[in-house]
Amino acid sequence: MRILDLFVVASMPIMKVLMLTALGSFLALDRVDVMGESARKQLNNVVFFVFNPALVSSSLAKTVTFESIVLLWFMPFNILLTFIIGTAIGWLLVKITKAPQHLRGNVGHLPLIVVPAICREKGSPFGAPDICHTYGTAYASLSMAIGAIYLWSFVYNVVRVPSAKVNKEVNGDDSTRVMKSTGTGGMPSPTLPDQQNYTEPLLPSKNCSISVCTHELSFSCAKSKGTVKVSDFDKIWQYLRIISRKLNLKAIFAPSTTAAFIGFTIGLVPQIRNLIISGNAPFHVVQDSALLLGDAAIPIVTLIVGGNLLRGLKGPAGICMSLVIGVIAVRYVLLPLLGIVIIKTAVRFGLVHSDPLYQFILLLHYALPPAMNIGTITQLFRAGESECSVIMLWTYGLASISLTLWSTAFLWLVS
């Protein structure tokens, strides 16, 4: 296909996203206030708990088989590479630009928006629109589920470690504030000195010392007639609890991730698949209902993104512009070029099969703007929220140009 034809095919989905994003920004204006902050939070909850899981589970259940699992093994590794390379380059960028410490710290919904839309466009190089749309949605859903696991296990801790240092510096030492755990994402809640705290021993003991750490209590008591020993099972259980809190397993096994496991189970177990998938299945209404719910996810998510981007306009004027320029250069120039080298090398050595749609999605992983969930993580730790909003505004504002150009290049490479 000619470059101009590919450019038209690639630009149509971006134009649709831009229109919905602009509508979301308009509805979020203070004068309109149809999608204010509280409304967006409620919609986010509906998308998070209902629409996304329905979309992911229904798409994977319809397309996943044992044969496709063997062919798709490279996708989790590819997404992991984007996280590792992006984090390493981001760390160098922070060192070069001397950004604030709380800014030291990607696969979202955009593949679900761009890929199915390209499949529907006339002149798409991916063959029959219906088949392309079905498999494109499944590939993108799998990308989103895998990205969510990496985001909440890898990026979550990348942001958590420096933000804990910043919070400690801001809150001062223990003589001025006492930190109490609220139980929400491990975030501490400051208690002012005038709020009295009373502690009394539950049981009297002699020669007993208690050492309190962030996530554990260890007791060392010496008695006249013996010592208290902790069993190996209790020690292992304690370590597992600490690890689960550090990794935030509750966030890792989010509804979309759980829905991905359900979709895999339905697709891979023939007995269950025959009950739910296909028009003659006795419970096909379940799959049809999930598809109906899933179709609502994309436009609502795009509207929410448009509303959230307005926060960047109110961000701090003192943010280092060299940092913003560096993030844009890394995300939209360096990472896509590295992605082309990695994917083409993998194809040459037979690590990735020849499906052009699959290769296109693998390449697209390297050209996407930061996932919006990164903003959620910064809100959780109360570090770099406004700066993150400014970076999101610039990266998503320029994504319309960058994503169109890179999608055109990727379509040319795989067609």
Side-chain angles (χ1 to χ4, degrees), residues 53-65 68-69 72 134-135 137-143 145-146 256-257 259-268 273 277 287 291:
L55 178 63
V56 171
S57 61
S58 60
S59 300
L60 293 177
K62 191 175 181 179
T63 55
V64 166
T65 60
S68 63
I69 289 294
L72 296 178
T134 300
Y135 280 89
T137 304
Y139 291 158
S141 299
L142 181 59
S143 298
I146 296 170
S256 294
T257 309
F261 288 123
I262 294 174
F264 275 117
T265 303
I266 295 173
L268 294 176
R273 185 183 182 90
I277 309 300
Q287 171 74 358
L291 287 170

Side-chain angles (χ1 to χ4, degrees), residues 14 16 36 42 47 54 80 90 95 98 165 258 293 346 370:
I14 308 302
K16 296 174 184 177
Q42 296 298 325
V47 170
L80 179 61
K95 291 293 185 181
K98 297 180 180 180
K165 296 179 182 178
T258 306
L293 281 173

Side-chain angles (χ1 to χ4, degrees), residues 78-84 86-87 106-111 143-144 146-148 150-152 154-155 331-332 335 364-374 377 392 396:
N78 187 64
I79 297 175
L80 179 61
L81 277 180
T82 65
F83 278 95
I84 294 175
T87 301
N106 177 40
V107 177
H109 289 84
L110 275 179
S143 298
M144 187 180 72
I146 296 170
Y150 289 150
L151 188 75
W152 287 102
F154 183 75
V155 180
R331 284 240 58 102
Y332 295 147
L335 279 179
L364 197 63
H365 290 160
Y366 293 90
L368 297 172
M372 276 292 175
N373 279 334
I374 294 178
I377 295 174
M392 288 292 183
Y396 273 81

Side-chain angles (χ1 to χ4, degrees), residues 282-304:
F283 299 106
H284 71 88
V285 66
V286 176
Q287 171 74 358
D288 295 341
S289 300
L291 287 170
L292 190 62
L293 281 173
D295 288 340
I298 303 306
I300 293 178
V301 167
T302 312
L303 290 174
I304 294 172

